Amino acid sequence: MSTYPENGSKDGPELGRAGQERLESTIAPPQLGSDSTVDPTVLTSFPIPGTEIVAAFNYGMSLWGRTAKLVCLLPTGERVNYFLKVTALGEVGKAMTVGEFESLKEMHATSPIFVPKPFAWGRYSITEPETHFLLAEFRNVGEQPPDPIKFTARLAELHRISKSPTGKFGFHTTTCHAFLTQITDCWEDSWSRLFQRQLLHMVTLDQERNGMWDEFKAVCDLTLEKVVPRLLEPLQSEGRSIKPCLIHGDLWDENTATDMDTGEPFVFDAGSMYAHNEYEIGNWRAPRHRLSNKSYIRNYKRNFPVSEPEEEWDARNLLYSLRYDLATFIHYPGSNLRQRYGIERSRPKHFS
């Protein structure tokens, strides 16, 4: 991907709030805003024909588009709320929308309590800018992130009961981490091989976005060639095996929430694939996230035992965190995280 959308700030939520040395104590819940315009195409996408939109309000925020709450009237007279996400980013936005729809669809089929149901995606009738939308079940966003005990139990359950349709690692389509495409539209027997492809893809995008940094490139090359096979091949050798688990793919504080109506934790804004379950929580290592609180990792491990070799869990977690950090460097060029964490987080100190 040679061009990138801008979020209008170098300090989006992942860097501004979550990148502060001291995090805010709480995340303010999203509020209903002004009236939101809805393209006529959405009217033909409701799961029940004849559904009418009574009101549409801007709801919450999205770095790469806008989100809305649709108050609708069914032919029976019942009122139902829907969630609408709109992205005006052309082909990039289409990849984001389709990837999120397919991710939510797969996750909801496995864990409907934990994941809102997606109903449709489509393209707006306007031609400029090319705009795509996602229509899904509406849930009232409460505490973010949710209670660690409930949340990690639901997440571990998703990982545990999910089943790869091929028995391999990968996904049936391309998914995205925000606006970055991921290497997911493939199937691999080897998790080490798929992760290596993922990491190389992000290293390449980082160089395109932020320019060459010789020292960082040397460390990344060493990591790809030596560290990835050293840490990940033992997961599937000498009689050991790991299960391809359906993962969310971008779990940070504001992609998780407590449903204010049910009290249940739920997740959204996914970029899924079937992966090693521990890869999911690599993003939690970063201190910019509230999910880095040890209670989340501790409770997750209680629900899903650490893979063997167990003593290398922390080294694998460090390796997985590099993949997420690289995406952050790309999303926010000009931030100082690349310099602060780039060498430190990627240097293979466990094997120096």
Side-chain angles (χ1 to χ4, degrees):
M1 193 180 299
S2 58
T3 59
Y4 300 90
E6 299 294 343
N7 67 13
S9 169
K10 294 177 182 178
D11 296 319
E14 198 165 359
L15 285 185
R17 289 191 293 272
Q20 302 291 337
E21 290 297 328
R22 296 179 62 185
L23 294 170
E24 297 172 6
S25 57
T26 59
I27 298 172
Q31 302 295 317
L32 286 179
S34 58
D35 291 349
S36 179
T37 57
V38 180
D39 191 85
T41 310
V42 176
L43 289 171
T44 64
S45 302
F46 289 110
I48 300 176
T51 298
E52 299 178 0
I53 299 176
V54 176
F57 303 99
N58 290 313
Y59 180 75
M61 58 83 69
S62 171
L63 288 176
W64 321 112
R66 62 182 178 86
T67 49
K69 175 182 180 179
L70 306 183
V71 181
C72 298
L73 186 67
L74 303 183
T76 60
E78 179 186 1
R79 290 204 173 201
V80 176
N81 298 326
Y82 290 94
F83 174 80
L84 181 68
K85 184 175 184 179
V86 179
T87 308
L89 296 174
E91 286 300 306
V92 173
K94 180 180 179 180
M96 294 167 65
T97 302
V98 174
E100 183 176 356
F101 176 82
E102 292 296 331
S103 297
L104 294 176
K105 181 180 176 183
E106 192 95 350
M107 293 173 70
H108 177 82
T110 304
S111 184
I113 295 176
F114 194 48
V115 184
K117 183 176 183 178
F119 294 109
W121 73 272
R123 179 174 173 174
Y124 267 21
S125 57
I126 60 174
T127 56
E128 290 294 336
E130 183 179 331
T131 302
H132 297 85
F133 71 90
L134 171 72
L135 184 69
E137 171 191 356
F138 180 85
R139 297 193 186 183
N140 274 310
V141 172
E143 181 184 15
Q144 295 182 279
D147 171 78
I149 296 176
K150 285 185 177 181
F151 172 66
T152 56
R154 287 292 185 195
L155 179 62
E157 180 184 49
L158 170 70
H159 292 164
R160 192 170 54 249
I161 68 176
S162 59
K163 186 175 181 180
S164 168
T166 64
K168 299 180 181 182
F169 300 94
F171 206 56
H172 62 274
T173 192
T174 297
T175 62
C176 296
H177 182 161
F179 59 77
L180 302 176
T181 57
Q182 303 183 112
I183 305 299
T184 55
D185 190 12
C186 59
W187 295 104
E188 294 277 3
D189 289 308
S190 166
W191 165 243
S192 178
R193 171 61 180 151
L194 181 57
F195 180 79
Q196 190 176 49
R197 294 176 64 186
Q198 286 275 2
L199 189 59
L200 175 60
H201 177 60
M202 286 296 162
V203 169
T204 303
L205 293 181
D206 175 66
Q207 291 174 359
E208 290 178 3
R209 180 71 151 166
N210 293 305
M212 186 67 70
W213 178 11
D214 290 340
E215 185 183 3
F216 187 52
K217 183 181 184 302
V219 172
C220 287
D221 289 345
L222 181 61
T223 301
L224 285 162
E225 295 168 12
K226 302 294 184 181
V227 180
V228 170
R230 164 61 186 84
L231 283 177
L232 302 189
E233 286 182 1
L235 293 167
Q236 294 177 279
S237 64
E238 299 180 6
R240 292 182 288 263
S241 64
I242 53 172
K243 170 184 177 290
C245 298
L246 180 60
I247 66 165
H248 175 283
D250 186 19
L251 278 184
W252 68 290
D253 306 339
E254 294 186 42
N255 284 348
T256 70
T258 300
D259 188 325
M260 292 179 66
D261 297 322
T262 66
E264 284 286 343
F266 71 101
V267 297
F268 46 93
D269 202 9
S272 295
M273 64 175 161
Y274 286 90
H276 182 208
N277 67 293
E278 291 178 8
Y279 171 70
E280 183 89 281
I281 58 178
N283 204 20
W284 301 2
R285 193 179 188 99
R288 62 184 178 272
H289 299 315
R290 290 165 182 79
L291 289 169
S292 65
N293 186 303
K294 287 181 170 48
S295 63
Y296 287 94
I297 293 177
R298 184 171 60 247
N299 279 287
Y300 178 82
K301 288 179 177 179
R302 288 173 178 168
N303 289 284
F304 203 121
V306 170
S307 299
E308 296 288 347
E310 193 171 341
E311 65 276 10
E312 293 183 351
W313 181 90
D314 187 67
R316 293 193 298 267
N317 184 254
L318 178 62
L319 175 63
Y320 291 153
S321 74
L322 174 61
R323 156 62 183 79
Y324 291 101
D325 283 343
L326 280 166
T328 302
F329 306 157
I330 300 164
H331 288 145
Y332 302 101
S335 74
N336 64 355
L337 282 189
R338 193 177 188 233
Q339 285 69 34
R340 286 174 60 195
Y341 295 123
I343 293 293
E344 175 190 345
R345 299 290 286 279
S346 58
R347 180 176 286 121
K349 57 188 176 183
H350 291 269
F351 307 101
S352 56

